[in-house]
Amino acid sequence: MNYILFDGPVRNALLPFTFTRPVCDIRVGILTIREKWEKYLGFTTTTLTEEYLSEKFPMVEMEANVMINGAYFPNEVLVEMVRNLEHNQVIMQGADVIAFYTHDTQDEVDFDTYEILECKENGLKIEHTWDIFAKNDAAIREDFALLTADRHSQPIPKSVNVIAPESIFIEEGARLAFVTLNASTGPIYIGKNSEIMEGSVIRGPFALGEEAQVKLATKIYGATTVGPHCRVGGEVSNSVLFAYSNKGHDGFLGDSVLGEWCNIGADSNNSNLKNNYEEVRLWSYETEGFARTGLQFCGLMMGDHSKCGINTMFNTGTVIGVSSNIFGAGFPRNFVPSFSWGGAAGFTTYLTSKAFQTAKIVMARRKVEFDAIEMRILEHVFELTKKYRKE
């Protein structure tokens, strides 16, 4: 069967992360949503997304296709329903389309002619940016069970101080010594060829991606995900780093999400709680205003390729767009548009020529090419976000 993941109606609510990827390529838990579906289904998937992203994330359409809403996480009940779909059947949850089986092109789909199958299983889904960290605890637990079923962990080194070793899984090639792992509060997954340096203290749920690294004497509270090829140090709590991003030094990151190729300078901190303890409001690209999160704790949302200098301070509920560079004394405003250069003293436009030069150098350090496809995506994002910058 041919499975296609589509963005659905929540894409704009998940900006800035969906400026540079489909909804299904957001990481929540150990895996991205796409990786979860492919693991459950045993098939690769393609994507129906924005046209400017389709060169990097193409769609392969066949005569018969099962379309799946990329905001929904798979679980055993939902996957069984998807596998058993027949032509002109649609799985719904309330007014939401979760999946449907069609022989039609996208322009020809008419759900009035479909048989509706109601999904009564209340699984995980993401609807807002803050869901990425708010639902990370549950997502890590689900992914841990999926990835470790009927498998044996590598042995825990004798020098590791461990609580609840039965809830710890170490992949091949991982390196750790003289660290403390407490999995009594949630599972701990340590990815292939990753490293946890001496003196680090980690409380689950926690996920460390392949080739990722936890620096010396780091303190991590769950539920935190450090994605593949990321580097973390200092103090981290209830945060998600997608991949290839660094927070390698002292400083606090809490209730936050970093996209790919981000870098947090030494001794930088974010606030995740307002001084008056009130509900945090967060910039929404969907409404172009500040949205109620329903959360008392909410920190920093940083889009791909954005960076900050040393000793940067971020206010509670700050949103940074794609490819911005933040530096200087004081608190920058709590919505910084994409391709911004500056800080509390003011911003200018971060020209694409300079931004691309930096991206090329940064990615080459990890042996990844900044190619023409990536450049075209970022050029499109630059144009899309012009209205937010004072140029």
Side-chain angles (χ1 to χ4, degrees):
M1 180 51 66
N2 188 46
Y3 295 100
I4 300 172
L5 294 160
F6 65 92
D7 280 349
V10 300
R11 177 186 178 271
N12 288 345
L14 293 167
L15 297 169
F17 304 112
T18 46
F19 274 134
T20 47
R21 62 178 53 78
V23 170
C24 64
D25 287 295
I26 288 174
R27 187 176 304 277
V28 192
I30 303 171
L31 305 170
T32 66
I33 301 172
R34 182 194 302 278
E35 289 168 344
K36 301 176 203 291
W37 277 106
E38 292 184 345
K39 183 75 174 173
Y40 266 104
L41 294 169
F43 286 89
T44 57
T45 61
T46 61
T47 316
L48 177 61
T49 186
E50 298 294 303
E51 185 176 350
Y52 75 92
L53 293 172
S54 61
E55 189 176 10
K56 183 176 180 179
F57 304 97
M59 179 176 68
V60 176
E61 198 169 19
M62 297 184 180
E63 184 177 338
N65 304 285
V66 171
M67 311 291 296
I68 301 171
N69 188 331
Y72 279 80
F73 297 19
N75 56 55
E76 290 184 0
V77 172
L78 181 54
V79 169
E80 189 65 18
M81 291 182 73
V82 169
R83 283 188 179 131
N84 292 331
L85 273 173
E86 298 180 1
H87 177 51
N88 275 35
Q89 287 184 331
V90 57
I91 301 170
M92 304 279 292
Q93 189 165 75
D96 287 353
V97 174
I98 299 178
F100 58 98
Y101 186 148
T102 183
H103 291 167
D104 299 325
T105 64
Q106 301 314 304
D107 295 335
E108 296 171 333
V109 172
D110 180 5
F111 289 126
D112 290 338
T113 65
Y114 279 60
E115 177 187 357
I116 296 175
L117 308 177
E118 184 68 24
C119 179
K120 298 179 181 179
E121 181 78 5
N122 288 322
L124 294 173
K125 64 177 179 177
I126 51 171
E127 300 174 88
H128 309 283
T129 52
W130 56 87
D131 287 340
I132 298 169
F133 71 80
K135 298 183 178 181
N136 200 44
D137 186 309
I140 289 176
R141 295 173 192 270
E142 289 189 359
D143 287 351
F144 186 88
L146 176 66
L147 290 173
T148 64
D150 301 320
R151 298 179 62 217
H152 295 287
S153 169
Q154 297 295 306
I156 299 172
K158 291 182 179 180
S159 67
V160 173
N161 184 27
V162 60
I163 303 172
E166 68 279 2
S167 296
I168 295 172
F169 194 94
I170 303 173
E171 296 284 6
E172 182 181 0
R175 305 177 303 283
L176 61 161
F178 298 101
V179 304
T180 296
L181 302 179
N182 180 0
S184 65
T185 51
I188 293 176
Y189 176 86
I190 301 171
K192 185 177 179 181
N193 297 328
S194 62
E195 181 180 18
I196 305 177
M197 293 185 182
E198 305 91 287
S200 295
V201 181
I202 297 173
R203 177 181 285 249
F206 173 69
L208 185 65
E210 184 172 344
E211 300 278 356
Q213 186 181 73
V214 176
K215 296 294 194 74
L216 286 167
T218 300
K219 296 176 289 185
I220 298 181
Y221 304 82
T224 289
T225 294
V226 178
H229 305 277
C230 289
R231 306 285 185 266
V232 294
E235 184 179 5
V236 183
S237 176
N238 194 31
S239 295
V240 177
L241 286 72
F242 285 3
Y244 293 102
S245 285
N246 297 330
K247 184 225 167 286
H249 305 284
D250 284 344
F252 175 72
L253 183 73
D255 299 282
S256 297
V257 182
L258 305 185
E260 295 186 359
W261 306 108
C262 298
N263 189 72
I264 303 294
D267 288 321
S268 294
N269 295 277
N270 81 275
S271 168
N272 62 342
L273 174 68
K274 296 177 71 173
N275 285 350
N276 59 10
Y277 286 64
E278 288 186 352
E279 175 189 4
V280 179
R281 293 173 181 261
L282 201 67
W283 172 264
S284 168
Y285 286 89
E286 186 174 38
T287 63
E288 298 192 343
F290 287 88
R292 291 183 175 274
T293 64
L295 300 174
Q296 193 175 53
F297 290 88
C298 184
L300 171 68
M301 305 285 140
M302 180 178 277
D304 289 10
H305 292 284
S306 285
K307 297 165 178 61
C308 72
I310 62 170
N311 295 303
T312 303
M313 300 184 295
F314 292 108
N315 263 313
T316 318
T318 293
V319 175
I320 309 292
V322 172
S323 202
S324 287
N325 200 308
I326 317 297
F327 55 88
F331 288 91
R333 60 183 185 236
N334 55 3
F335 167 55
V336 178
S338 299
F339 292 92
S340 293
W341 175 278
F347 288 92
T348 59
T349 296
Y350 190 12
L351 298 177
T352 54
S353 57
K354 293 184 177 180
F356 294 171
Q357 183 180 8
T358 299
K360 186 175 182 179
I361 295 169
V362 168
M363 294 174 71
R365 293 177 70 239
R366 301 291 180 85
K367 297 179 172 56
V368 178
E369 182 187 2
F370 180 67
D371 59 17
I373 294 174
E374 193 76 15
M375 186 183 298
R376 284 192 284 273
I377 289 172
L378 293 179
E379 284 173 341
H380 193 89
V381 174
F382 181 85
E383 295 300 323
L384 279 177
T385 56
K386 268 187 175 179
K387 63 180 179 179
Y388 301 115
R389 295 188 296 273
K390 294 179 179 180
E391 299 180 332

